Amino acid sequence: MRIYDIESPKQIKNMSIPQLVELSNDIRSFLINSISKTGGHLSSNLGVVELSIAMHYVFDAPNDKLIFDVGHQCYTHKILTGRSRQFTTLRKKDGLSGYQKRSESIYDCWEAGHSSTSLSAALGYAIARDIKKENYEVVALIGDGALSGGMAMEALNDIGSKQKKMIIIFNDNNMSISRNHGGIEQRITSVRSSQIYRGIKHDIKSNLQTNKVGTSILNAMTSVRDIVKHDIINAGLFQDFNLDYIGPVDGHNISDLIKVLNTAKEHDGPIVVHVLTKKGKGYPYAEKDKVGKWHGVSPFDIETGRSLMKLPNDELTWSEIISRTLMDLARKDKNIVAITPAMAQGSKLLDFEKTYPNRFFDCGIAEQHAITMACGMAAGGLKPFVSVYSSFLQRAYDQINHDMARMDLPVVVGIDRAGLVGDDGDTHQGVFDISMLRSIPNLILSQPHDAKEAQNLLYTAFVSQKPFCIRYPRGNVHYDKVDQYELIPIGSWTRYDVGDKPICIVISYGYDVDNVIHKAKENNISMIVINARFFKPIDTIMINELCSYDLPIYVYETDCKIGSLSSAILEYINTQKHILNTIGIEDHFVNHGSIRTLRIQEHIDTQSLFKEIIEND
């Protein structure tokens, strides 16, 4: 079958196993060729081609709900549901999303740009199905790396308790984005090597099902089977959650996959199907990758594996600049450590790991844990740096608020991929961290406008001994290593005068500061350009000065407006001009006491309100 002729998964239902194998080979070649031109998530999709085909062969989507965790491994699913002709538009404006997208297809029942959500969503679907007395299967495909996310563990606990009929396909490729870390991985390894159990189980069933006596003996051996299952293969990872288990099964053997999935389909209650796959299968460069280089790729040359996107010789990515600076500072200070929640490759921390292996900590896909662990390190006298993508940082909001800022612990957080990231879409746009963090007391939030400022901000962050966040975007910038680090006054902005008689003031941040200056010079427009390198605290002295000029002020920012830099400026200006009288809790944490006492203390009781009304009348 030609890939472009596939419009529905129903078209593969009557195909033979050899035909399905041929289809899997065609899809794998299609993916390599297509992604080499558009970029996208390569390794994860090459690893689940046969598994995706088997899922659509056995189950009846869109009636049956197929949930992919993480959503970026759904490319074969998209091909089988009639979207192959759109792959030239993958991750482009108005084109095919790189993830499941509910608005894109009725076959996409769930959206996820981050890991560990599938099991909770699947249980929710199963509960809704049973309450509404509907009839469909719920299937969650989750990777081994995603099990390091606390949300997945919480879901497994609840699934085992509620015992709803659902199928968990555990895609075990011994990698998440890069290699896995931690105790869960060790438990998975013991389950992965369960050849002894599989042999025993097969031999017992084959020998005893040949006659009535044997069948009776087999039925009486349930407890023995369970003992063998638990003691020989130590499948406690799932058994401890009260989940039945099948596997492991070869994730690239379509015949075996179909048999096992059909068995799971007949099972009453939750069941785990353990599938062994090879990430990057079919493309040698991706198969050999152990650090996540081929997880998400830009356009590349298929023959050589070389990226077609090259940086100018004098430029580095912002992530690389931060990483190099971190390594330089760590060379001089042995208390500096680095932490990543499974993003060592993307955050350019692999060199740090190689140079300082005992001071590097990859905690898996667990942003919450990463932040609180860093807080414990800080309380113990270390100087931790945590690198987290902006779009994933929201998962650790509670930890930043409650553990890091409330205890005023000196943790430095590098907010990578801040701002628009483009291709990965709405699940990954890092435009909310400013508004999310600005309301948290004790926290310093900043962004450099060039490489020099990035180096000095990171140096300042460690010296400050405060909860300090530095955001930086995806992309690259001209780089020169600073000769000597300089302390940047906390909350200070810098000013650039373009021309002689300014007609306006533009306040911006990040690399857009230089863009505005360049554009103003190019168009011969005189203006004052402000580098607002701190979102919290802001430079109130400079704001007062700017307001005295009686010039129009433009706040030019490329992140969410609500709660943004402009909001911070307006809030401050309002306190000076009293355009709007505001009553609320100021920028600090409120200690314990009765509610009545605290409302009086914070001047948010009705008596304080009316006192202000009378005084301002």
Side-chain angles (χ1 to χ4, degrees):
M1 180 182 294
R2 293 179 65 250
I3 288 176
Y4 288 126
D5 291 338
I6 300 176
E7 297 181 358
S8 162
K10 289 183 173 60
Q11 292 172 255
I12 72 169
K13 297 287 188 182
N14 296 319
M15 293 177 70
S16 66
I17 297 300
Q19 287 174 321
L20 293 176
V21 171
E22 183 178 357
L23 176 62
S24 70
N25 293 332
D26 291 344
I27 288 177
R28 189 166 274 113
S29 296
F30 174 85
L31 288 174
I32 295 171
N33 280 283
S34 181
I35 296 172
S36 73
K37 297 180 179 66
T38 63
H41 288 93
L42 181 66
S43 289
S44 53
N45 283 290
L46 293 180
V48 296
V49 174
E50 291 87 357
L51 180 54
S52 300
I53 290 173
M55 287 168 66
H56 276 290
Y57 186 90
V58 172
F59 300 104
D60 184 25
N63 182 53
D64 291 339
K65 311 306 177 189
L66 308 183
I67 302 172
F68 290 79
D69 188 341
V70 178
H72 60 234
Q73 60 183 327
C74 67
Y75 289 10
T76 299
H77 161 77
K78 293 200 175 199
I79 291 171
L80 297 175
T81 53
R83 287 172 270 181
S84 58
R85 293 184 183 276
Q86 297 172 260
F87 264 75
T88 55
T89 70
L90 182 68
R91 307 197 309 162
K92 296 180 181 178
K93 187 178 183 301
D94 299 324
L96 202 64
S97 170
Y99 298 82
Q100 282 187 297
K101 194 76 174 172
R102 283 161 59 87
S103 61
E104 187 178 284
S105 172
I106 58 173
Y107 291 97
D108 294 356
C109 64
W110 185 254
E111 298 179 9
H114 200 5
S115 78
S116 313
T117 65
S118 63
L119 303 185
S120 298
L123 179 57
Y125 260 117
I127 291 171
R129 174 199 62 202
D130 294 350
I131 288 177
K132 297 177 68 178
K133 293 182 170 45
E134 295 177 340
N135 183 28
Y136 57 81
E137 300 292 338
V138 180
V139 184
L141 170 61
I142 184 168
D144 48 358
L147 285 180
S148 64
M151 186 175 178
M153 292 291 105
E154 294 171 18
L156 283 176
N157 184 57
D158 204 18
I159 291 168
S161 171
K162 291 185 169 55
Q163 287 293 303
K164 295 292 181 181
K165 178 174 170 53
M166 57 186 289
I167 299 168
I168 300 169
I169 300 177
F170 171 41
N171 175 29
D172 178 4
N173 59 26
N174 200 21
M175 286 184 71
S176 50
I177 292 174
S178 55
R179 66 181 183 275
N180 290 330
H181 296 263
I184 290 176
E185 166 61 14
Q186 294 172 14
R187 295 293 295 277
I188 291 171
T189 299
S190 68
V191 178
R192 189 182 294 134
S193 58
S194 61
Q195 298 289 345
I196 298 175
Y197 165 70
R198 284 189 290 168
I200 290 174
K201 181 177 179 180
H202 180 269
D203 292 342
I204 290 174
K205 292 188 73 173
S206 298
N207 293 331
L208 294 183
Q209 283 182 330
T210 56
N211 54 60
K212 291 183 178 180
V213 175
T215 301
S216 299
I217 295 173
L218 179 64
N219 292 336
M221 288 185 64
T222 301
S223 59
V224 176
R225 178 202 64 193
D226 289 341
I227 292 171
V228 170
K229 183 174 181 179
H230 188 272
D231 291 346
I232 292 183
I233 73 169
N234 189 24
L237 176 64
F238 303 112
Q239 192 175 56
D240 289 349
F241 286 110
N242 197 26
L243 301 174
D244 283 329
Y245 168 91
I246 303 178
V249 61
D250 182 354
H252 303 296
N253 186 315
I254 291 181
S255 177
D256 286 355
L257 285 169
I258 290 173
K259 292 175 184 175
V260 169
L261 291 179
N262 272 317
T263 299
K265 189 176 179 180
E266 299 302 316
H267 185 268
D268 186 22
I271 187 168
V272 176
V273 178
H274 186 176
V275 178
L276 299 178
T277 63
K278 187 175 187 64
K279 192 169 185 179
K281 182 175 174 59
Y283 187 57
Y285 293 109
E287 286 186 3
K288 295 174 184 176
D289 177 30
K290 299 300 179 185
V291 297
K293 177 182 176 182
W294 289 93
H295 171 72
V297 296
S298 57
F300 62 94
D301 179 79
I302 295 176
E303 294 298 321
T304 65
R306 292 176 182 168
S307 173
L308 300 178
M309 309 289 286
K310 292 186 177 181
L311 295 180
N313 292 331
D314 61 345
E315 293 190 0
L316 291 177
T317 65
W318 290 92
S319 304
E320 181 72 17
I321 292 167
I322 292 293
S323 176
R324 287 192 180 191
T325 308
L326 182 68
M327 289 183 64
D328 187 55
L329 294 171
R331 180 174 56 83
K332 303 167 186 175
D333 189 340
K334 294 182 179 180
N335 285 326
I336 290 178
V337 296
I339 303 165
T340 176
M343 297 305 295
Q345 167 70 19
S347 295
K348 304 302 180 186
L349 290 174
L350 292 175
D351 285 343
F352 189 102
E353 177 186 19
K354 183 178 179 180
T355 307
Y356 306 110
N358 295 328
R359 294 155 63 186
F360 173 82
F361 304 90
D362 189 330
C363 59
I365 305 174
E367 292 82 5
Q368 303 96 313
H369 165 60
I371 294 295
T372 299
M373 181 174 70
C375 291
M377 289 178 173
L382 295 178
K383 298 178 180 179
F385 171 83
V386 187
S387 178
V388 186
Y389 283 16
S390 172
S391 58
F392 303 157
L393 185 69
Q394 59 207 26
R395 291 194 157 199
Y397 174 83
D398 177 59
Q399 288 69 29
I400 291 174
N401 186 329
H402 189 272
D403 301 331
M404 179 175 148
R406 188 185 56 82
M407 289 192 282
D408 204 20
L409 291 170
V411 175
V412 180
V413 179
I415 307 176
D416 204 340
R417 306 305 199 269
L420 295 172
V421 297
D423 301 338
D424 282 331
D426 55 0
T427 60
H428 280 61
Q429 310 293 9
V431 297
F432 302 109
D433 57 86
I434 297 174
S435 56
M436 180 177 75
L437 298 175
R438 265 195 56 241
S439 64
I440 301 178
N442 295 338
L443 195 73
I444 298 169
L445 178 59
S446 64
Q447 179 170 344
H449 88 279
D450 62 14
K452 178 182 178 181
E453 197 163 68
Q455 296 169 77
N456 286 327
L457 269 176
L458 187 56
Y459 170 73
T460 301
F462 281 113
V463 173
S464 74
Q465 285 293 283
K466 295 285 291 181
F468 205 118
C469 297
I470 305 172
R471 67 193 309 266
Y472 40 95
R474 183 180 187 179
N476 47 285
V477 67
H478 175 80
Y479 171 75
D480 286 314
K481 188 182 183 307
V482 298
D483 295 326
Q484 187 171 351
Y485 294 112
E486 299 176 6
L487 275 175
I488 296 177
I490 304 298
S492 66
W493 294 353
T494 55
R495 169 176 170 167
Y496 302 90
D497 293 306
V498 182
D500 298 327
K501 296 182 179 180
I503 63 170
C504 67
I505 300 166
V506 176
I507 303 174
S508 193
Y509 53 84
Y511 62 86
D512 280 313
V513 172
D514 290 338
N515 290 342
V516 171
I517 293 172
H518 176 75
K519 195 75 172 177
K521 291 178 178 177
E522 186 178 78
N523 289 276
N524 199 29
I525 297 175
S526 296
M527 63 173 63
I528 299 171
V529 181
I530 303 299
N531 170 26
R533 58 192 176 189
F534 286 94
F535 306 98
K536 184 176 186 181
I538 58 175
D539 194 333
T540 56
I541 295 174
M542 184 170 286
I543 293 174
N544 289 335
E545 181 182 349
L546 298 175
C547 288
S548 70
Y549 293 155
D550 197 27
L551 289 171
I553 300 177
Y554 298 89
V555 182
Y556 173 51
E557 47 191 329
T558 54
D559 295 281
C560 179
K561 287 176 69 175
I562 297 174
S564 62
L565 172 65
S566 56
S567 295
I569 294 171
L570 287 171
E571 289 164 10
Y572 173 72
I573 291 175
N574 182 67
T575 64
Q576 303 302 299
K577 297 191 176 182
H578 298 290
I579 301 168
L580 179 71
N581 295 296
T582 60
I583 295 174
I585 297 173
E586 298 296 338
D587 185 28
H588 60 249
F589 288 101
V590 180
N591 283 320
H592 56 276
S594 70
I595 293 177
R596 181 175 182 277
T597 301
L598 294 178
R599 285 170 69 97
I600 294 171
Q601 170 189 299
E602 299 298 321
H603 306 293
I604 56 174
D605 57 312
T606 52
Q607 176 117 0
S608 297
L609 167 64
F610 279 87
K611 179 181 178 183
E612 184 159 336
I613 291 172
I614 293 169
E615 288 177 351
N616 292 333
D617 185 20

